[in-house]
């Protein structure tokens, strides 16, 4: 813990080389100033239904019993009850980002023969089904955050993003304030689209192949207003497979926690719900529990991005683009965002077969 004289502002200046003086960089919320660091917990709900993947796993694991998962009423990837119970036992909450991916028939005919879109189709779900509506109700009533997981093409399609947000809010019965793009996709105007449709934060910048704080120890304000970007520190897919070498996977997680504590960081973690299926993805559930337990032991604030966002001090309701930034200044500011935002889109699609 810092000394009484080591203020949150001082810690921010030390770890970001004085960047806290930049109004586009966030500081520590006063409510968590006494915590060593923050750990934001997130889950992208990509494929909660196991379909053709049963055949893939039967071959990969040489286990024909996997084919039984194709029978009606069986769905081992529906892990939400176990995830909620796990987090409840630890006294924490997280964010679940829900996806409304295009049906294959909604795509242009040229996409119909592309294996990429066929794989994306497997496990697709609709938010309006009774099972999903019940899940959304239980998450909301239990204190979990529900956010938007923008579909594969929506990062550059504001109309699509607006429709998906409205669909999710209708199913949820309340407004959503943030989320993450599917496959971490981003384009030069993605953050502008998010802000324009009423989202308050984005949690997309990150990688499926590397972990760490190369995007900084703090979230940022790309427009100098209340819109916040939370970088992704670790996606489970970027870690050593804990089923093969749990020690190596945990060592990397422990190193990230130590770095977060040393620098008073806002660390963000992504675990996909299907990876809590112990039979198909051994070790990931245990690794997640250990990550959260250790963060709590180290004095971290642990919770969903929305709760952290709501504790932050924000500029007075007026967006920078509507006040001090305008005209040519606004255009220059947007241009400055375009290159790093597009070039930082590092996600790969190597694990789409799952």
């Amino acid at each position: 813990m810092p000394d009484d004289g080591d203020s949150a502002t001082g810690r921010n200046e030390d770890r970001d080389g004085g960047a806290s003086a930049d109004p586009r960089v966030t500081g520590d919320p006063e409510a968590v100033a006494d915590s060593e660091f923050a750990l934001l917990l997130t889950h992208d709900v990509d494929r909660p239904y196991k379909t053709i993947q049963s055949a893939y796993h039967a071959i990969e694991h040489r286990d024909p019993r996997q084919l039984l998962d194709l029978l009606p009423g069986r769905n081992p990837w529906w892990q939400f009850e176990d995830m909620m119970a796990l987090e409840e036992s630890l006294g924490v909450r997280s964010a679940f980002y829900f996806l409304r991916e295009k049906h294959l028939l909604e795509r242009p005919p040229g996409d119909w023969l592309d294996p990429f879109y066929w794989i994306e189709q497997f496990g697709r779900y609709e938010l309006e089904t009774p099972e999903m509506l019940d899940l959304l109700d239980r998450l909301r009533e239990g204190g979990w955050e529900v956010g938007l997981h923008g579909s594969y093409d929506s990062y550059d399609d504001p109309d699509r993003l607006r429709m998906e947000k409205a669909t999710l809010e209708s199913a949820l019965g309340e407004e959503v304030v943030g989320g993450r793009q599917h496959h971490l996709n981003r384009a030069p105007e993605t953050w502008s689209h998010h802000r324009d449709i009423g989202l308050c934060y984005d949690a997309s910048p990150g990688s499926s192949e590397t972990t760490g704080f190369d995007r900084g120890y703090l979230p940022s304000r790309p427009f100098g207003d209340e819109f916040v970007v939370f970088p992704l520190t670790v996606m489970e897919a970027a870690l050593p497979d804990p089923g093969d070498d749990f020690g190596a996977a945990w060592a990397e997680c422990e190193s990230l926690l130590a770095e977060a504590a040393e620098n008073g960081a806002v660390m963000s973690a992504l675990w996909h719900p299907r990876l809590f299926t112990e039979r198909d993805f051994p070790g990931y559930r245990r690794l997640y529990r250990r990550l959260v337990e250790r963060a709590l032991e180290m004095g971290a604030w642990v919770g969903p991005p929305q709760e952290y966002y709501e504790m932050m001090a924000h500029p007075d309701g007026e967006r920078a683009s509507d006040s001090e930034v305008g005209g040519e200044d606004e255009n220059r500011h947007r241009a400055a965002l375009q290159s790093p935002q597009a070039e930082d889109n590092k996600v790969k699609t190597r694990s789409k077969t799952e």
Side-chain angles (χ1 to χ4, degrees):
M1 299 289 286
D3 297 331
D4 291 342
D6 185 12
S7 67
T9 301
R11 293 202 309 275
N12 292 344
E13 289 176 349
D14 290 342
R15 65 196 177 209
D16 274 331
S20 60
D22 185 339
R24 291 174 298 181
V25 177
T26 68
D28 290 333
E30 183 178 350
V32 298
D34 291 333
S35 299
E36 291 288 351
F37 63 100
L39 173 61
L40 309 182
L41 303 177
T42 68
H43 310 290
D44 292 355
V45 185
D46 295 345
R47 289 184 284 279
Y49 297 98
K50 187 177 182 182
T51 56
I52 193 64
Q53 295 91 351
S54 299
Y56 173 81
H57 280 248
I59 296 171
E60 181 185 37
H61 302 303
R62 299 180 182 179
D63 181 6
R65 292 173 299 176
Q66 295 271 353
L67 297 174
L68 295 175
D69 292 335
L70 292 170
L71 295 175
R74 293 177 64 103
N75 182 28
W77 287 6
W78 187 271
Q79 290 290 316
F80 300 103
E81 286 76 13
D82 286 355
M83 294 172 69
M84 294 164 70
L86 186 158
E87 293 179 353
E88 180 79 47
S89 72
L90 298 173
V92 302
R93 295 294 186 269
S94 61
F96 288 82
Y97 300 141
F98 284 83
L99 175 69
R100 200 290 185 184
E101 188 54 70
K102 285 184 179 181
H103 192 282
L104 192 63
L105 296 180
E106 295 180 79
R107 296 189 173 279
D111 291 343
W112 294 357
L113 299 180
D114 189 332
F116 176 89
Y117 293 113
W118 276 98
I119 294 172
E120 195 65 34
Q121 180 74 14
F122 297 135
R124 181 183 175 276
Y125 59 94
E126 297 285 355
L127 292 168
E128 298 86 353
T129 64
E131 187 175 38
M132 277 292 171
L133 292 173
D134 179 66
L135 172 62
L136 292 173
D137 285 343
R138 285 184 288 128
L139 288 171
R140 184 188 69 245
E141 293 169 0
W144 278 268
E145 178 187 352
V146 172
L148 178 66
H149 197 32
S151 64
Y152 185 76
D153 297 316
S154 69
Y155 66 95
D156 205 22
D157 186 344
D159 292 336
R160 176 80 192 184
L161 269 175
R162 184 174 287 105
M163 179 276 289
E164 292 175 4
K165 180 174 181 283
T167 299
L168 177 58
E169 291 175 338
S170 177
L172 180 64
E174 66 182 30
E175 186 179 10
V176 299
V177 302
R180 175 182 290 124
Q181 287 299 128
H182 194 28
H183 289 273
L184 312 185
N185 285 338
R186 294 193 318 286
E189 294 294 324
T190 300
W191 287 336
S192 296
H193 299 332
H194 285 180
R195 189 177 64 154
D196 291 344
I197 68 170
L199 293 180
C200 297
Y201 79 81
D202 174 56
S204 300
S207 172
S208 64
E209 294 193 325
T210 62
T211 67
F213 296 94
D214 58 332
R215 296 161 190 85
Y217 291 114
L218 292 173
S220 63
R221 300 185 189 276
F223 304 103
D225 63 4
E226 69 271 24
F227 184 83
V228 171
V229 173
F230 293 107
L232 175 61
T233 311
V234 55
M235 182 194 300
E236 84 288 277
L239 295 167
D241 189 333
D244 295 333
D245 190 342
F246 186 89
W250 171 243
E252 189 161 339
C253 289
E254 192 170 34
S255 176
L256 292 170
L257 290 170
E259 185 175 355
E262 181 179 354
N263 294 279
V266 178
M267 175 178 172
S268 178
L270 163 58
W271 249 251
H272 293 84
R274 67 182 182 277
L275 270 76
F276 284 79
T277 310
E278 184 64 22
R279 187 187 65 183
D280 291 349
F281 307 100
Y284 285 97
R285 178 196 295 244
R286 177 188 169 201
L287 187 63
Y288 180 77
R289 172 182 281 277
R290 191 163 182 180
L291 176 73
V292 176
E293 288 177 335
R294 181 60 181 141
L296 293 170
E297 290 170 359
M298 296 171 68
W301 182 94
V302 181
Q306 179 180 357
E307 186 175 343
Y308 190 92
Y309 176 89
E310 290 174 349
M311 292 188 297
M312 294 169 64
H314 297 286
D316 296 334
E318 191 176 20
R319 296 192 184 278
S321 60
D322 299 328
S323 55
E324 72 273 12
V325 178
E328 293 183 3
D329 289 341
E330 170 71 0
N331 292 334
R332 282 197 297 269
H333 185 58
R334 286 175 180 266
L337 287 173
Q338 290 181 1
S339 178
Q341 188 175 179
E343 291 175 2
D344 194 35
N345 188 358
K346 297 180 179 179
V347 74
K348 306 299 180 183
T349 58
R350 56 183 171 79
S351 61
K352 288 184 63 60
T353 50
E354 298 176 348

